[in-house]
Amino acid sequence: MKKPKIKDVAKMAGVSTTTVSRVLNGERYVKDELKAKVQRVIDELGYSPSHIARSLVRQKTNLIGVIVPDLTSSFHATILSSIEQTASRSGYSLLVCDIHEDTDKELQYLNIFKEMRVEGIIIMHEKLSDKIQNLINKLDIPVIFSSVRPPDQKFISVIIDDYHAAYDAARYLAGLGHTRIAFIGGDMRDVTSGQSRYLGYRNALEDSGIAVDDDYIRFGDYKPRSGYDRMKELLDVSPRPTAVFAVSDDMAAGAMNCIHDQKLSVPEDISVIGFDGSQLTELVRPRLSSMEQPIEDMGRVTVDSLFDLIQGNEKAPKEDLILQHQLVVRDSCRALQ
Amino acid sequence: MKKPKIKDVAKMAGVSTTTVSRVLNGERYVKDELKAKVQRVIDELGYSPSHIARSLVRQKTNLIGVIVPDLTSSFHATILSSIEQTASRSGYSLLVCDIHEDTDKELQYLNIFKEMRVEGIIIMHEKLSDKIQNLINKLDIPVIFSSVRPPDQKFISVIIDDYHAAYDAARYLAGLGHTRIAFIGGDMRDVTSGQSRYLGYRNALEDSGIAVDDDYIRFGDYKPRSGYDRMKELLDVSPRPTAVFAVSDDMAAGAMNCIHDQKLSVPEDISVIGFDGSQLTELVRPRLSSMEQPIEDMGRVTVDSLFDLIQGNEKAPKEDLILQHQLVVRDSCRALQ
DNA sequence: TTGAAAGCGCTAACAG
DNA sequence: CTGTTAGCGCTTTCAA
């Protein structure tokens, strides 16, 4: 027998579909006797109510759409995992899109989300094209950004204070006695966090009485490879930097590998500090000191806030939620002298 | 105005809903003039057809459910990414569940998948409880396993030949002149691949004229931490092994870190070989030699086969799909003498 | 080419 | 406590 429907159950139990619906939804007002009989038929038939039909009449899908820039990045995967955890606890399921630099795909998925009538959308991607800006602005579905804050738009972000986090990281290096502190930043074009972290780095140096030297400043794409390549360039600068601050752990790990491959040592020759607090920090040797984001919290807070937005709660956030960053010292930085 | 519906479009365009439906679905038999007018109204209203209503009448959801044991594992994240890529290209979306050891959650999600009427289910989790076995067996939705092959069940798996892969890895070490070859395996209880790899290791040693020594054999849980801990135990065995084969890159990386922390060197003191071919192999130093699975292919083949299953294609697989493993030599193993 | 009407599987008034 | 009835938003015969 093909997928039984509520009518089949009703017929077989000798009751109306309403009654079946009632036991399905655990309502009162059903005699125990009937309830038991209906339940028996349900089990026997292996009946399972159609979420589709339910959604249609309830006007509620319990679905959340998530857009991730790259699933294979440990940072994003960890946030996603935390998001999934939190959402599922409230009975929500996730529709996941991994865009992989493909802007068309992002657009396509946003439209799918719209058609699917997801109740909310979480975006972890920063470089929004005009088309996309346009689309999400007239979407009429709550949107929230997690771990990023794209410029010029009206939605809430759950982030850390990138400026101060970067500032604190650079200050830490300066406090260790370093004066030739290199910087491997992120995308500067349209990316707020990239700029904030860059500014934090600059100001920290200035406040430490260190002249900012553009030769020590490079920009990558957050991935290990770019950390490696930019580090290679930095090693050619003379005098060589004694410390480097990379704005992702992935880039920091890449930088460490480059240093290693050039027969130099971390932290003896060069100190390295990362950013994010991904699992990588404990997986590399020396273990990587990092300015950490509260990744798990970030996922949780994102979902909780999105729910508030969906429900139109009073406590729904009106502005960005800033989570605390934290410097975690491991073994990749040393004090000079 | 709240979410316009097809009726609104029809009214505003002065046509029937049928006509709107026709232009929506790009059918012939609509006069260009009307088509244009309807399209204009659609754009103006920002109308987007309800996937819910469509699914209900078409009896087709374009949804696939995926169960991942742990999203934060690079191996699984990469397969998932490849799955998403392939599925979205065919217009399918993914419902993702990260079970995190939580068997109840797996059961709960399987039921959600059932209610959601997903068209197919991909499972990357190996330790199926009886309840779950039971459920998926009477599910009447195509199920396919990716990268795992749980014992005793009727569904297809997309995997490599674990036995021969492990055999080849151990043989490689033996060929390098090693005779004290340790093994850090996976779960042996209910997990087929764990047993196959173990057997491959044993037989490779025997075929190489090396006596198998149980002191050199440990079992972990595929994660870095367990690789670290098991390695620590192995270092206490006397005489110390000169090589270790871990059945995941994560465990191999953990083992390398342990060796490093004990002031020993890879590969000078101990050679290490991993399994999987995750990104980690290039991220650690020395770079990790690994018996690699074709991760991207695995995702692609999984989805393609699932589609064949869904469509009841002739070419739908009748038995497990075995993909080719490949030894990738990097810098973590050395020849003795 | 176009439209009227039935129905996908379920819930929710409203009666009884 | 239980059943009747009317949709939820769309597609799809069937006629016109």
mmCIF file of all heavy atoms in Angstrom, chain B residues 127-168:
data_model
loop_
_atom_site.group_PDB
_atom_site.id
_atom_site.type_symbol
_atom_site.label_atom_id
_atom_site.label_comp_id
_atom_site.label_asym_id
_atom_site.label_seq_id
_atom_site.Cartn_x
_atom_site.Cartn_y
_atom_site.Cartn_z
ATOM 1 N N LYS B 127 26.766 3.640 12.812
ATOM 2 C CA LYS B 127 26.253 2.865 13.939
ATOM 3 C C LYS B 127 24.747 2.996 14.054
ATOM 4 O O LYS B 127 24.235 3.821 14.801
ATOM 5 C CB LYS B 127 26.920 3.346 15.229
ATOM 6 C CG LYS B 127 28.432 3.235 15.218
ATOM 7 C CD LYS B 127 29.027 3.968 16.413
ATOM 8 C CE LYS B 127 30.401 4.513 16.112
ATOM 9 N NZ LYS B 127 30.800 5.619 16.986
ATOM 10 N N LEU B 128 24.043 2.150 13.308
ATOM 11 C CA LEU B 128 22.589 2.229 13.298
ATOM 12 C C LEU B 128 21.992 1.392 14.422
ATOM 13 O O LEU B 128 22.237 0.203 14.513
ATOM 14 C CB LEU B 128 22.071 1.710 11.952
ATOM 15 C CG LEU B 128 21.905 2.722 10.835
ATOM 16 C CD1 LEU B 128 22.992 3.784 10.869
ATOM 17 C CD2 LEU B 128 21.887 2.027 9.490
ATOM 18 N N SER B 129 21.193 2.023 15.247
ATOM 19 C CA SER B 129 20.511 1.274 16.294
ATOM 20 C C SER B 129 19.431 0.392 15.664
ATOM 21 O O SER B 129 19.052 0.584 14.514
ATOM 22 C CB SER B 129 19.874 2.226 17.295
ATOM 23 O OG SER B 129 18.790 2.886 16.689
ATOM 24 N N ASP B 130 18.925 -0.553 16.435
ATOM 25 C CA ASP B 130 17.884 -1.445 15.920
ATOM 26 C C ASP B 130 16.647 -0.656 15.512
ATOM 27 O O ASP B 130 16.048 -0.897 14.474
ATOM 28 C CB ASP B 130 17.509 -2.477 16.987
ATOM 29 C CG ASP B 130 18.621 -3.495 17.155
ATOM 30 O OD1 ASP B 130 19.522 -3.519 16.296
ATOM 31 O OD2 ASP B 130 18.585 -4.255 18.135
ATOM 32 N N LYS B 131 16.295 0.277 16.365
ATOM 33 C CA LYS B 131 15.139 1.121 16.077
ATOM 34 C C LYS B 131 15.269 1.766 14.702
ATOM 35 O O LYS B 131 14.316 1.825 13.929
ATOM 36 C CB LYS B 131 15.047 2.246 17.113
ATOM 37 C CG LYS B 131 14.095 1.979 18.255
ATOM 38 C CD LYS B 131 13.915 3.250 19.065
ATOM 39 C CE LYS B 131 13.099 3.000 20.334
ATOM 40 N NZ LYS B 131 13.198 4.125 21.278
ATOM 41 N N ILE B 132 16.462 2.257 14.444
ATOM 42 C CA ILE B 132 16.673 2.974 13.197
ATOM 43 C C ILE B 132 16.674 2.025 12.012
ATOM 44 O O ILE B 132 16.057 2.293 10.988
ATOM 45 C CB ILE B 132 17.985 3.772 13.287
ATOM 46 C CG1 ILE B 132 17.796 4.882 14.322
ATOM 47 C CG2 ILE B 132 18.380 4.338 11.936
ATOM 48 C CD1 ILE B 132 18.921 5.832 14.435
ATOM 49 N N GLN B 133 17.353 0.901 12.170
ATOM 50 C CA GLN B 133 17.313 -0.146 11.158
ATOM 51 C C GLN B 133 15.876 -0.410 10.767
ATOM 52 O O GLN B 133 15.501 -0.442 9.600
ATOM 53 C CB GLN B 133 17.873 -1.458 11.744
ATOM 54 C CG GLN B 133 19.369 -1.498 11.876
ATOM 55 C CD GLN B 133 20.017 -1.942 10.587
ATOM 56 O OE1 GLN B 133 19.368 -2.052 9.556
ATOM 57 N NE2 GLN B 133 21.320 -2.159 10.634
ATOM 58 N N ASN B 134 15.101 -0.607 11.798
ATOM 59 C CA ASN B 134 13.710 -0.935 11.661
ATOM 60 C C ASN B 134 12.957 0.134 10.883
ATOM 61 O O ASN B 134 12.215 -0.144 9.939
ATOM 62 C CB ASN B 134 13.128 -1.045 13.075
ATOM 63 C CG ASN B 134 12.066 -2.096 13.126
ATOM 64 O OD1 ASN B 134 11.792 -2.713 12.096
ATOM 65 N ND2 ASN B 134 11.458 -2.296 14.276
ATOM 66 N N LEU B 135 13.190 1.353 11.288
ATOM 67 C CA LEU B 135 12.499 2.475 10.670
ATOM 68 C C LEU B 135 12.841 2.609 9.194
ATOM 69 O O LEU B 135 11.952 2.682 8.340
ATOM 70 C CB LEU B 135 12.862 3.774 11.409
ATOM 71 C CG LEU B 135 12.217 5.044 10.852
ATOM 72 C CD1 LEU B 135 10.704 4.886 10.831
ATOM 73 C CD2 LEU B 135 12.615 6.240 11.677
ATOM 74 N N ILE B 136 14.127 2.624 8.874
ATOM 75 C CA ILE B 136 14.483 2.861 7.479
ATOM 76 C C ILE B 136 14.064 1.694 6.601
ATOM 77 O O ILE B 136 13.833 1.860 5.417
ATOM 78 C CB ILE B 136 15.981 3.158 7.275
ATOM 79 C CG1 ILE B 136 16.850 1.984 7.683
ATOM 80 C CG2 ILE B 136 16.404 4.404 8.019
ATOM 81 C CD1 ILE B 136 18.306 2.220 7.344
ATOM 82 N N ASN B 137 13.949 0.516 7.196
ATOM 83 C CA ASN B 137 13.563 -0.627 6.386
ATOM 84 C C ASN B 137 12.118 -0.543 5.910
ATOM 85 O O ASN B 137 11.777 -1.046 4.848
ATOM 86 C CB ASN B 137 13.774 -1.918 7.165
ATOM 87 C CG ASN B 137 15.162 -2.480 6.944
ATOM 88 O OD1 ASN B 137 15.621 -2.520 5.816
ATOM 89 N ND2 ASN B 137 15.828 -2.871 8.012
ATOM 90 N N LYS B 138 11.273 0.071 6.688
ATOM 91 C CA LYS B 138 9.877 0.169 6.277
ATOM 92 C C LYS B 138 9.557 1.598 5.852
ATOM 93 O O LYS B 138 8.425 2.047 5.959
ATOM 94 C CB LYS B 138 8.959 -0.297 7.404
ATOM 95 C CG LYS B 138 9.213 0.340 8.745
ATOM 96 C CD LYS B 138 8.098 0.029 9.726
ATOM 97 C CE LYS B 138 8.121 -1.426 10.194
ATOM 98 N NZ LYS B 138 7.385 -1.584 11.479
ATOM 99 N N LEU B 139 10.562 2.290 5.361
ATOM 100 C CA LEU B 139 10.393 3.710 5.097
ATOM 101 C C LEU B 139 9.763 3.961 3.741
ATOM 102 O O LEU B 139 9.023 4.899 3.549
ATOM 103 C CB LEU B 139 11.754 4.410 5.162
ATOM 104 C CG LEU B 139 11.710 5.865 5.561
ATOM 105 C CD1 LEU B 139 10.847 6.019 6.790
ATOM 106 C CD2 LEU B 139 13.105 6.355 5.847
ATOM 107 N N ASP B 140 10.106 3.117 2.788
ATOM 108 C CA ASP B 140 9.515 3.271 1.468
ATOM 109 C C ASP B 140 9.963 4.589 0.820
ATOM 110 O O ASP B 140 9.259 5.217 0.048
ATOM 111 C CB ASP B 140 7.989 3.131 1.626
ATOM 112 C CG ASP B 140 7.195 3.543 0.441
ATOM 113 O OD1 ASP B 140 7.532 3.106 -0.664
ATOM 114 O OD2 ASP B 140 6.245 4.323 0.634
ATOM 115 N N ILE B 141 11.157 5.021 1.202
ATOM 116 C CA ILE B 141 11.839 6.131 0.550
ATOM 117 C C ILE B 141 13.237 5.601 0.233
ATOM 118 O O ILE B 141 13.825 4.930 1.074
ATOM 119 C CB ILE B 141 11.997 7.336 1.501
ATOM 120 C CG1 ILE B 141 10.630 7.896 1.906
ATOM 121 C CG2 ILE B 141 12.823 8.440 0.848
ATOM 122 C CD1 ILE B 141 10.726 9.025 2.910
ATOM 123 N N PRO B 142 13.768 5.871 -0.953
ATOM 124 C CA PRO B 142 15.120 5.380 -1.255
ATOM 125 C C PRO B 142 16.148 5.906 -0.258
ATOM 126 O O PRO B 142 16.138 7.087 0.076
ATOM 127 C CB PRO B 142 15.385 5.956 -2.659
ATOM 128 C CG PRO B 142 14.045 6.167 -3.247
ATOM 129 C CD PRO B 142 13.155 6.542 -2.098
ATOM 130 N N VAL B 143 16.996 5.014 0.209
ATOM 131 C CA VAL B 143 18.058 5.375 1.141
ATOM 132 C C VAL B 143 19.374 4.955 0.536
ATOM 133 O O VAL B 143 19.462 3.920 -0.131
ATOM 134 C CB VAL B 143 17.868 4.661 2.497
ATOM 135 C CG1 VAL B 143 19.058 4.908 3.402
ATOM 136 C CG2 VAL B 143 16.580 5.091 3.177
ATOM 137 N N ILE B 144 20.388 5.777 0.729
ATOM 138 C CA ILE B 144 21.710 5.367 0.263
ATOM 139 C C ILE B 144 22.741 5.773 1.308
ATOM 140 O O ILE B 144 22.604 6.809 1.961
ATOM 141 C CB ILE B 144 22.025 5.983 -1.122
ATOM 142 C CG1 ILE B 144 23.226 5.304 -1.760
ATOM 143 C CG2 ILE B 144 22.252 7.479 -1.010
ATOM 144 C CD1 ILE B 144 23.373 5.611 -3.246
ATOM 145 N N PHE B 145 23.740 4.930 1.480
ATOM 146 C CA PHE B 145 24.789 5.253 2.436
ATOM 147 C C PHE B 145 25.997 5.799 1.705
ATOM 148 O O PHE B 145 26.358 5.302 0.635
ATOM 149 C CB PHE B 145 25.184 4.015 3.239
ATOM 150 C CG PHE B 145 24.129 3.575 4.184
ATOM 151 C CD1 PHE B 145 23.196 2.623 3.818
ATOM 152 C CD2 PHE B 145 24.041 4.129 5.447
ATOM 153 C CE1 PHE B 145 22.196 2.221 4.690
ATOM 154 C CE2 PHE B 145 23.045 3.745 6.335
ATOM 155 C CZ PHE B 145 22.120 2.787 5.954
ATOM 156 N N SER B 146 26.596 6.810 2.283
ATOM 157 C CA SER B 146 27.755 7.403 1.642
ATOM 158 C C SER B 146 28.958 7.298 2.560
ATOM 159 O O SER B 146 28.898 7.750 3.705
ATOM 160 C CB SER B 146 27.481 8.877 1.316
ATOM 161 O OG SER B 146 28.462 9.377 0.455
ATOM 162 N N SER B 147 30.004 6.668 2.087
ATOM 163 C CA SER B 147 31.276 6.540 2.804
ATOM 164 C C SER B 147 31.207 5.564 3.970
ATOM 165 O O SER B 147 32.181 5.414 4.695
ATOM 166 C CB SER B 147 31.779 7.895 3.299
ATOM 167 O OG SER B 147 31.149 8.282 4.494
ATOM 168 N N VAL B 148 30.066 4.941 4.159
ATOM 169 C CA VAL B 148 29.953 3.930 5.209
ATOM 170 C C VAL B 148 29.120 2.753 4.707
ATOM 171 O O VAL B 148 28.330 2.889 3.780
ATOM 172 C CB VAL B 148 29.259 4.486 6.470
ATOM 173 C CG1 VAL B 148 30.082 5.574 7.114
ATOM 174 C CG2 VAL B 148 27.875 5.007 6.125
ATOM 175 N N ARG B 149 29.331 1.621 5.345
ATOM 176 C CA ARG B 149 28.483 0.474 5.004
ATOM 177 C C ARG B 149 28.081 -0.255 6.278
ATOM 178 O O ARG B 149 28.793 -1.139 6.757
ATOM 179 C CB ARG B 149 29.205 -0.495 4.077
ATOM 180 C CG ARG B 149 28.234 -1.557 3.513
ATOM 181 C CD ARG B 149 28.785 -2.253 2.299
ATOM 182 N NE ARG B 149 29.894 -3.124 2.628
ATOM 183 C CZ ARG B 149 29.751 -4.262 3.286
ATOM 184 N NH1 ARG B 149 28.573 -4.647 3.687
ATOM 185 N NH2 ARG B 149 30.801 -4.987 3.560
ATOM 186 N N PRO B 150 26.936 0.130 6.811
ATOM 187 C CA PRO B 150 26.460 -0.529 8.030
ATOM 188 C C PRO B 150 26.162 -1.984 7.720
ATOM 189 O O PRO B 150 25.805 -2.323 6.588
ATOM 190 C CB PRO B 150 25.171 0.225 8.345
ATOM 191 C CG PRO B 150 25.236 1.488 7.575
ATOM 192 C CD PRO B 150 26.046 1.171 6.360
ATOM 193 N N PRO B 151 26.324 -2.838 8.684
ATOM 194 C CA PRO B 151 26.099 -4.265 8.465
ATOM 195 C C PRO B 151 24.615 -4.562 8.319
ATOM 196 O O PRO B 151 23.772 -3.789 8.763
ATOM 197 C CB PRO B 151 26.658 -4.894 9.740
ATOM 198 C CG PRO B 151 26.585 -3.824 10.775
ATOM 199 C CD PRO B 151 26.720 -2.529 10.050
ATOM 200 N N ASP B 152 24.310 -5.655 7.709
ATOM 201 C CA ASP B 152 22.954 -6.194 7.679
ATOM 202 C C ASP B 152 21.898 -5.243 7.208
ATOM 203 O O ASP B 152 20.912 -5.023 7.890
ATOM 204 C CB ASP B 152 22.511 -6.633 9.095
ATOM 205 C CG ASP B 152 23.530 -7.526 9.724
ATOM 206 O OD1 ASP B 152 24.134 -8.316 8.984
ATOM 207 O OD2 ASP B 152 23.729 -7.400 10.942
ATOM 208 N N GLN B 153 22.074 -4.623 6.097
ATOM 209 C CA GLN B 153 20.881 -3.981 5.595
ATOM 210 C C GLN B 153 20.875 -3.909 4.083
ATOM 211 O O GLN B 153 21.866 -4.111 3.424
ATOM 212 C CB GLN B 153 20.559 -2.688 6.298
ATOM 213 C CG GLN B 153 21.677 -1.755 6.548
ATOM 214 C CD GLN B 153 22.209 -1.176 5.307
ATOM 215 O OE1 GLN B 153 23.379 -1.086 5.172
ATOM 216 N NE2 GLN B 153 21.344 -0.805 4.363
ATOM 217 N N LYS B 154 19.696 -3.596 3.592
ATOM 218 C CA LYS B 154 19.412 -3.835 2.196
ATOM 219 C C LYS B 154 19.765 -2.685 1.275
ATOM 220 O O LYS B 154 19.557 -2.772 0.073
ATOM 221 C CB LYS B 154 17.919 -4.151 2.046
ATOM 222 C CG LYS B 154 17.027 -2.993 2.491
ATOM 223 C CD LYS B 154 15.542 -3.301 2.293
ATOM 224 C CE LYS B 154 14.702 -2.061 2.611
ATOM 225 N NZ LYS B 154 13.258 -2.313 2.534
ATOM 226 N N PHE B 155 20.284 -1.596 1.849
ATOM 227 C CA PHE B 155 20.524 -0.444 0.998
ATOM 228 C C PHE B 155 21.947 -0.395 0.445
ATOM 229 O O PHE B 155 22.872 -0.995 0.987
ATOM 230 C CB PHE B 155 20.216 0.846 1.755
ATOM 231 C CG PHE B 155 18.785 0.928 2.166
ATOM 232 C CD1 PHE B 155 18.420 0.714 3.487
ATOM 233 C CD2 PHE B 155 17.801 1.174 1.234
ATOM 234 C CE1 PHE B 155 17.089 0.758 3.870
ATOM 235 C CE2 PHE B 155 16.467 1.233 1.595
ATOM 236 C CZ PHE B 155 16.112 1.017 2.928
ATOM 237 N N ILE B 156 22.073 0.364 -0.633
ATOM 238 C CA ILE B 156 23.357 0.501 -1.315
ATOM 239 C C ILE B 156 24.289 1.436 -0.538
ATOM 240 O O ILE B 156 23.858 2.392 0.078
ATOM 241 C CB ILE B 156 23.114 1.134 -2.701
ATOM 242 C CG1 ILE B 156 22.120 0.309 -3.497
ATOM 243 C CG2 ILE B 156 24.413 1.315 -3.450
ATOM 244 C CD1 ILE B 156 22.659 -0.984 -3.958
ATOM 245 N N SER B 157 25.576 1.142 -0.613
ATOM 246 C CA SER B 157 26.577 2.043 -0.065
ATOM 247 C C SER B 157 27.506 2.525 -1.171
ATOM 248 O O SER B 157 27.791 1.774 -2.109
ATOM 249 C CB SER B 157 27.430 1.325 0.990
ATOM 250 O OG SER B 157 26.745 1.198 2.202
ATOM 251 N N VAL B 158 27.947 3.748 -1.057
ATOM 252 C CA VAL B 158 29.000 4.244 -1.931
ATOM 253 C C VAL B 158 30.255 4.340 -1.079
ATOM 254 O O VAL B 158 30.330 5.161 -0.160
ATOM 255 C CB VAL B 158 28.651 5.628 -2.515
ATOM 256 C CG1 VAL B 158 29.776 6.121 -3.402
ATOM 257 C CG2 VAL B 158 27.345 5.559 -3.294
ATOM 258 N N ILE B 159 31.201 3.484 -1.354
ATOM 259 C CA ILE B 159 32.371 3.388 -0.485
ATOM 260 C C ILE B 159 33.619 3.019 -1.286
ATOM 261 O O ILE B 159 33.562 2.821 -2.488
ATOM 262 C CB ILE B 159 32.189 2.268 0.569
ATOM 263 C CG1 ILE B 159 31.492 1.067 -0.088
ATOM 264 C CG2 ILE B 159 31.446 2.746 1.767
ATOM 265 C CD1 ILE B 159 31.487 -0.150 0.772
ATOM 266 N N ILE B 160 34.716 2.957 -0.583
ATOM 267 C CA ILE B 160 35.899 2.375 -1.188
ATOM 268 C C ILE B 160 36.045 0.951 -0.659
ATOM 269 O O ILE B 160 35.277 0.523 0.204
ATOM 270 C CB ILE B 160 37.174 3.166 -0.845
ATOM 271 C CG1 ILE B 160 37.353 3.215 0.680
ATOM 272 C CG2 ILE B 160 37.111 4.568 -1.439
ATOM 273 C CD1 ILE B 160 38.712 3.666 1.103
ATOM 274 N N ASP B 161 36.999 0.249 -1.157
ATOM 275 C CA ASP B 161 37.278 -1.090 -0.665
ATOM 276 C C ASP B 161 38.177 -0.950 0.563
ATOM 277 O O ASP B 161 39.399 -0.899 0.452
ATOM 278 C CB ASP B 161 37.978 -1.884 -1.768
ATOM 279 C CG ASP B 161 38.276 -3.310 -1.326
ATOM 280 O OD1 ASP B 161 38.364 -3.568 -0.101
ATOM 281 O OD2 ASP B 161 38.436 -4.160 -2.211
ATOM 282 N N ASP B 162 37.544 -0.867 1.716
ATOM 283 C CA ASP B 162 38.295 -0.580 2.932
ATOM 284 C C ASP B 162 39.381 -1.608 3.202
ATOM 285 O O ASP B 162 40.479 -1.269 3.638
ATOM 286 C CB ASP B 162 37.339 -0.520 4.132
ATOM 287 C CG ASP B 162 36.568 0.778 4.173
ATOM 288 O OD1 ASP B 162 37.210 1.814 4.347
ATOM 289 O OD2 ASP B 162 35.339 0.751 4.000
ATOM 290 N N TYR B 163 39.048 -2.847 2.939
ATOM 291 C CA TYR B 163 40.024 -3.892 3.204
ATOM 292 C C TYR B 163 41.297 -3.662 2.389
ATOM 293 O O TYR B 163 42.403 -3.600 2.926
ATOM 294 C CB TYR B 163 39.432 -5.269 2.888
ATOM 295 C CG TYR B 163 40.451 -6.370 2.961
ATOM 296 C CD1 TYR B 163 40.790 -6.954 4.172
ATOM 297 C CD2 TYR B 163 41.127 -6.797 1.804
ATOM 298 C CE1 TYR B 163 41.750 -7.939 4.250
ATOM 299 C CE2 TYR B 163 42.098 -7.786 1.873
ATOM 300 C CZ TYR B 163 42.405 -8.357 3.094
ATOM 301 O OH TYR B 163 43.363 -9.317 3.157
ATOM 302 N N HIS B 164 41.117 -3.500 1.096
ATOM 303 C CA HIS B 164 42.303 -3.358 0.256
ATOM 304 C C HIS B 164 43.017 -2.027 0.465
ATOM 305 O O HIS B 164 44.238 -1.940 0.336
ATOM 306 C CB HIS B 164 41.944 -3.562 -1.218
ATOM 307 C CG HIS B 164 41.798 -5.010 -1.567
ATOM 308 N ND1 HIS B 164 40.570 -5.608 -1.776
ATOM 309 C CD2 HIS B 164 42.722 -5.994 -1.702
ATOM 310 C CE1 HIS B 164 40.750 -6.899 -2.030
ATOM 311 N NE2 HIS B 164 42.035 -7.168 -1.997
ATOM 312 N N ALA B 165 42.247 -1.008 0.769
ATOM 313 C CA ALA B 165 42.882 0.285 1.033
ATOM 314 C C ALA B 165 43.809 0.168 2.240
ATOM 315 O O ALA B 165 44.961 0.615 2.212
ATOM 316 C CB ALA B 165 41.822 1.352 1.258
ATOM 317 N N ALA B 166 43.287 -0.432 3.290
ATOM 318 C CA ALA B 166 44.111 -0.591 4.487
ATOM 319 C C ALA B 166 45.276 -1.537 4.213
ATOM 320 O O ALA B 166 46.401 -1.317 4.663
ATOM 321 C CB ALA B 166 43.257 -1.128 5.638
ATOM 322 N N TYR B 167 44.976 -2.564 3.466
ATOM 323 C CA TYR B 167 46.024 -3.513 3.105
ATOM 324 C C TYR B 167 47.164 -2.794 2.386
ATOM 325 O O TYR B 167 48.338 -2.923 2.739
ATOM 326 C CB TYR B 167 45.430 -4.604 2.201
ATOM 327 C CG TYR B 167 46.400 -5.681 1.794
ATOM 328 C CD1 TYR B 167 46.533 -6.844 2.556
ATOM 329 C CD2 TYR B 167 47.190 -5.532 0.659
ATOM 330 C CE1 TYR B 167 47.438 -7.828 2.184
ATOM 331 C CE2 TYR B 167 48.097 -6.513 0.282
ATOM 332 C CZ TYR B 167 48.218 -7.662 1.045
ATOM 333 O OH TYR B 167 49.113 -8.634 0.687
ATOM 334 N N ASP B 168 46.793 -1.991 1.404
ATOM 335 C CA ASP B 168 47.801 -1.284 0.621
ATOM 336 C C ASP B 168 48.602 -0.298 1.482
ATOM 337 O O ASP B 168 49.809 -0.134 1.290
ATOM 338 C CB ASP B 168 47.137 -0.529 -0.541
ATOM 339 C CG ASP B 168 46.542 -1.490 -1.572
ATOM 340 O OD1 ASP B 168 46.863 -2.694 -1.512
ATOM 341 O OD2 ASP B 168 45.746 -1.029 -2.425
#
